[in-house]
Amino acid sequence: MATVALLRHHAPLELTLMNYILVMPSPIDDLTLVSDGEAITGLWMGTPPAIEAGSKELSVLREAKKQLDAYFRGDLRQFSLPLRPAGTEFQLQVWKELQQIPYGETISYGELAKRIGNPKGSRAVGLANGKNKISIIIPCHRVIGASGHLTGFGGGLARKAKLLEIERPSLFD
């Protein structure tokens, strides 16, 4: 069952005063979706942030849940949700390019750096990836190490592997 609640203030997540959340189950753990009422502004795995106040139904959160459920079933390859990521100009550039990585494919941090015109910026790209607050929907899990091994993922490598397995089951055969 999904829960939608008004989040009054939670400074560590850098959320504004009027945010709404929806907590939903998924194959990789509970997911906490965050919205400003118009767009998705965050997606966290595991323990949700502290929740205060009452609840409110939001169509953007219902649609995000619907699309995430379809993604986890293997029925959705590309999300079509309004997003409002918050970050530096560089981070936004990296996150925009992440959305260009096709479903079921992976690229290295170095390749991502090349794609944004900064071929020596793989470390900076990795740091920007780590700041992505709309994981899964902005698919930072599709970026792997140059050796082909799974590296760095805020949700943990086991969750990264599960997400990649959902997208490309033969990757781990």
Side-chain angles (χ1 to χ4, degrees), residues 15-37:
L15 301 175
T16 60
L17 192 55
M18 292 300 290
N19 284 282
Y20 302 90
I21 70 167
L22 181 144
V23 178
M24 62 175 279
S26 84
I28 60 169
D29 207 341
D30 284 347
L31 301 179
T32 301
L33 288 157
V34 181
S35 172
D36 61 8

Side-chain angles (χ1 to χ4, degrees), residues 15-16 34 39 59 61 78 88 94 104 108 111 123 125 131 134 146:
L15 301 175
T16 60
V34 181
S59 61
L61 289 174
Q78 185 158 347
T88 66
V94 169
S108 69
E111 176 61 27
R123 178 165 280 189
V125 162
K131 297 288 186 183
I134 310 177

Side-chain angles (χ1 to χ4, degrees), residues 15-164:
L15 301 175
T16 60
L17 192 55
M18 292 300 290
N19 284 282
Y20 302 90
I21 70 167
L22 181 144
V23 178
M24 62 175 279
S26 84
I28 60 169
D29 207 341
D30 284 347
L31 301 179
T32 301
L33 288 157
V34 181
S35 172
D36 61 8
E38 297 175 358
I40 300 299
T41 58
L43 187 156
W44 283 268
M45 295 172 235
T47 306
I51 301 169
E52 295 179 22
S55 64
K56 178 179 177 179
E57 281 290 315
L58 291 177
S59 61
V60 69
L61 289 174
R62 283 192 308 272
E63 182 60 27
K65 181 187 181 312
K66 178 180 162 187
Q67 289 187 32
L68 282 161
D69 284 339
Y71 167 83
F72 286 118
R73 284 192 312 271
D75 295 336
L76 182 81
R77 293 177 169 249
Q78 185 158 347
F79 293 95
S80 58
L81 296 164
L83 304 178
R84 189 168 291 125
T88 66
E89 192 172 319
F90 178 77
Q91 289 168 339
L92 293 171
Q93 181 183 18
V94 169
W95 301 336
K96 183 176 180 181
E97 192 60 37
L98 287 173
Q99 294 176 78
Q100 304 309 309
I101 304 169
Y103 178 93
E105 294 185 21
T106 58
I107 66 170
S108 69
Y109 293 94
E111 176 61 27
L112 183 56
K114 287 179 198 168
R115 290 184 183 187
I116 64 165
N118 188 357
K120 295 185 180 194
S122 59
R123 178 165 280 189
V125 162
L127 292 172
N129 241 15
K131 297 288 186 183
N132 174 18
K133 290 183 173 61
I134 310 177
S135 61
I136 304 171
I137 297 169
I138 298 178
C140 51
H141 61 278
R142 294 179 187 155
V143 184
I144 60 175
S147 66
H149 291 95
L150 301 186
T151 60
F153 187 63
L157 293 183
R159 287 184 182 128
K160 184 173 190 166
K162 180 66 176 170
L163 290 168
L164 292 173

